[in-house]
Amino acid sequence: MRMKKLILILIAAFTFVSVARSASDHFFENDGVSLAVAATPGPPPLMVPLTLIQGAASKGAVCLDGTLPGYHFHPGFGSGANSWLIQLEGGGWCNTIRSCVFRKTTRRGSSKYMEKQLAFTGILSNKAEENPDFFNWNRVIVRYCDGASFSGDSQNEAAQLQFRGQKIWQAAMQELLFKGMQKANQALLSGCSAGGLASIIHCDEFRSLFPTSTKVKCLSDAGFFLDAVDISGGHTLRNLFGGVVKLQEVQKNLPNSCLNQLDPTSCFFPQNLINHVETPLFLLNAAYDAWQVQESLAPHSADPHGSWNDCKSNHARCNSSQIQFLQDFRNQMLNDVKGFSGTSQTGLFINSCFAHCQSERQDTWFADDSPLINNMPIAIAVGDWFFDRKTVKAIDCAYPCDNTCHNLVFNAVKSAVVDYQSTSDDDTPTNTMTMIYSRSTRLTFSSGLYMLSILLPFTCS
């Protein structure tokens, strides 16, 4: 009888996973964290098929494993027929041969494993009520399969690895220009997380694809990674970025104006890049970026005894000294954007939330209870800035003042999701964590996902 009950529970659990992966309950996986967002009432989101770039291999533009890169394209209509939004997908980096070899067996390193369809939500939605300014534009997601924010250019023959992010970027842009982007009267390059860093790196290059009469701007969502000291006094993210830059020869595609002043690893950090970008750029970032807290500020390597585990999984469990450390991180972020924010063409939306990637999720981009700064949701802020309706320099007050946040709470179970961000001390991929968002500071777990995590030792993906 017990066994029968267990079987029924497992069937129910796997049925839930199947539903969760459908159009109405889909998983977002950004930079090594599997973010499960429960479905909201209403019609399912637009699902857009994958297109592989057939001529890419002849140009050397291939994923880590040598397969063709790809993109998802939904054509614009009406007044947006000649407007283009290009979204660069995120998904971490690989910084060693071993981690890149692992990565090429995942959708972040091979088109063999990529989803054949992706949901277009948030800034990619085709519904005016969900995406008021960009819903009828030509909208594209360029898939990420190089492990260096679309910026590497090298190879390792012994490990059969192709580091061709720059060539993938160029091949994708050429393909889209051929599909009609060359006629664009306005264009926005966007990206989330590692893709948000890529949108900064490629912003001026994107501008150069169009005549001067075309309105061109760039948006970086959760891409403002700080060269910050971790809780042990080390530089976890600098070490990771240094490995990426050296392994994939990223310095070839970083601005010379930065390289003339700083080392290549420093020039891979957005805080040192933004002042070299001439094209109008908008930074959308959580002041307490959930990924950076997890993997840059308090990674396992810096906290082997797990003294930060409770705080990392739920900000409500942080003690006063941990909160002060996080406030110092926020202060560093605000200090690093001071010069950038002083120019009229730039835009800012830095909210005091424990979040990551807020433009692709409908609940954080534009919904009835979206995060706000001065009663302004993110979608309106970005739209006002792009269309020059107003200057947008929105910086939130410090935690815990904002009760509109959709904060991320991490489930304590280990995840079997194959995406990952960094490597552990023995150079093997770290376990990922499952995130469930909680409204404001309340711990409101999605009951189905929470039960699933209790029943199973991992999160299916």
Side-chain angles (χ1 to χ4, degrees):
M1 188 67 180
R2 255 183 168 179
M3 181 59 68
K4 187 176 181 181
K5 281 185 178 179
L6 179 60
I7 291 171
L8 289 172
I9 288 171
L10 288 172
I11 291 171
F14 281 107
T15 301
F16 173 82
V17 172
S18 178
V19 172
R21 288 183 57 83
S22 72
S24 58
D25 256 77
H26 51 288
F27 280 76
F28 296 82
E29 293 169 55
N30 294 302
D31 293 347
V33 281
S34 171
L35 172 57
V37 181
T40 54
L46 174 70
M47 301 300 292
V48 180
L50 174 67
T51 299
L52 297 180
I53 305 174
Q54 295 301 327
S58 63
K59 302 170 185 175
V62 291
C63 298
L64 286 172
D65 70 337
T67 54
L68 294 175
Y71 62 92
H72 302 251
F73 167 55
H74 191 256
F77 56 93
S79 61
N82 289 322
S83 300
W84 287 73
L85 168 64
I86 309 301
Q87 180 85 352
L88 301 179
E89 186 182 33
W93 307 270
C94 61
N95 60 329
T96 65
I97 292 296
R98 187 169 179 176
S99 63
C100 291
V101 167
F102 174 84
R103 189 181 178 96
K104 75 175 184 177
T105 64
T106 78
R107 64 192 178 96
R108 297 294 190 229
S110 170
S111 57
K112 288 191 297 186
Y113 304 103
M114 289 178 183
E115 301 91 334
K116 297 301 182 272
Q117 294 186 96
L118 283 185
F120 273 33
T121 60
I123 195 172
L124 295 163
S125 172
N126 64 332
K127 301 178 180 69
E129 64 273 19
E130 295 179 347
N131 187 22
D133 284 311
F134 308 108
F135 73 97
N136 62 350
W137 285 31
N138 296 277
R139 286 151 293 108
V140 182
I141 296 179
V142 180
R143 298 305 295 267
Y144 179 37
C145 64
D146 63 277
S149 287
F150 296 90
S151 60
D153 189 11
S154 63
Q155 64 180 338
N156 186 287
E157 292 184 10
Q160 296 183 315
L161 287 168
Q162 297 290 325
F163 305 123
R164 302 301 181 187
Q166 178 69 22
K167 286 183 167 62
I168 291 172
W169 155 262
Q170 292 169 341
M173 293 305 104
Q174 289 170 10
E175 172 106 343
L176 296 173
L177 287 168
F178 178 77
K179 282 185 170 288
M181 193 170 71
Q182 80 274 11
K183 298 177 183 176
N185 51 35
Q186 50 193 1
L188 176 63
L189 177 67
S190 182
C192 159
S193 202
L197 171 55
S199 70
I200 297 172
I201 292 171
H202 291 296
C203 185
D204 286 339
E205 199 175 346
F206 186 65
R207 162 73 269 185
S208 71
L209 299 175
F210 304 94
T212 55
S213 58
T214 305
K215 186 185 192 74
V216 180
K217 296 189 179 184
C218 306
L219 165 66
S220 173
D221 176 13
F224 200 69
F225 298 97
L226 295 187
D227 189 3
V229 176
D230 63 39
I231 60 171
S232 70
H235 292 83
T236 297
L237 192 54
R238 169 166 278 274
N239 293 336
L240 171 63
F241 275 12
V244 174
V245 170
K246 183 178 180 180
L247 179 66
Q248 302 211 28
E249 298 185 25
V250 171
Q251 73 279 358
K252 295 177 182 177
N253 299 304
L254 296 174
N256 287 328
S257 56
C258 183
L259 294 172
N260 291 337
Q261 302 172 18
L262 299 168
D263 63 274
T265 299
S266 295
C267 290
F268 198 56
F269 277 97
Q271 66 202 70
N272 301 317
L273 278 175
I274 54 176
N275 292 327
H276 298 274
V277 177
E278 298 179 359
T279 306
L281 173 64
F282 191 104
L283 298 179
L284 163 61
N285 231 90
Y288 314 97
D289 181 87
W291 184 86
Q292 292 188 67
V293 172
Q294 286 273 334
E295 298 293 339
S296 174
L297 298 184
H300 175 73
S301 59
D303 182 32
H305 301 296
S307 62
W308 271 70
N309 284 355
D310 284 347
C311 178
K312 285 196 304 182
S313 64
N314 181 0
H315 62 281
R317 297 175 184 161
C318 297
N319 61 38
S320 58
S321 63
Q322 290 169 332
I323 288 294
Q324 186 56 57
F325 189 90
L326 296 176
Q327 299 294 20
D328 291 342
F329 175 76
R330 172 182 177 270
N331 290 337
Q332 181 184 344
M333 182 180 295
L334 298 186
N335 187 61
D336 286 341
V337 300
K338 272 184 180 176
F340 171 84
S341 64
T343 63
S344 59
Q345 66 179 6
T346 60
L348 285 174
F349 194 102
I350 299 179
N351 53 354
S352 291
C353 304
F354 292 80
H356 187 69
C357 286
Q358 299 178 89
S359 65
E360 295 178 346
R361 286 174 49 188
Q362 194 58 56
D363 66 306
T364 48
W365 174 248
F366 194 66
D368 290 342
D369 64 345
S370 293
L372 306 171
I373 300 180
N374 298 324
N375 293 317
M376 178 172 54
I378 295 168
I380 300 305
V382 173
D384 284 350
W385 166 79
F386 184 89
F387 293 104
D388 302 309
R389 293 191 291 248
K390 64 167 69 170
T391 300
V392 180
K393 313 285 185 182
I395 298 178
D396 214 349
C397 48
Y399 173 81
C401 72
D402 191 340
N403 63 3
T404 70
C405 288
H406 288 207
N407 291 310
L408 295 170
V409 173
F410 291 74
N411 199 348
V413 298
K414 290 181 179 179
S415 170
V417 175
V418 292
D419 288 346
Y420 61 97
Q421 177 69 44
S422 57
T423 56
S424 60
D425 293 336
D426 65 354
D427 196 27
T428 55
T430 57
N431 287 307
T432 59
M433 300 292 285
T434 300
M435 294 194 298
I436 304 173
Y437 91 78
S438 76
R439 184 71 170 84
S440 187
T441 56
R442 297 195 303 272
L443 302 182
T444 53
F445 290 94
S446 169
S447 59
L449 289 171
Y450 182 58
M451 284 303 298
L452 180 61
S453 70
I454 294 171
L455 294 169
L456 302 177
F458 56 84
T459 300
C460 298
S461 80

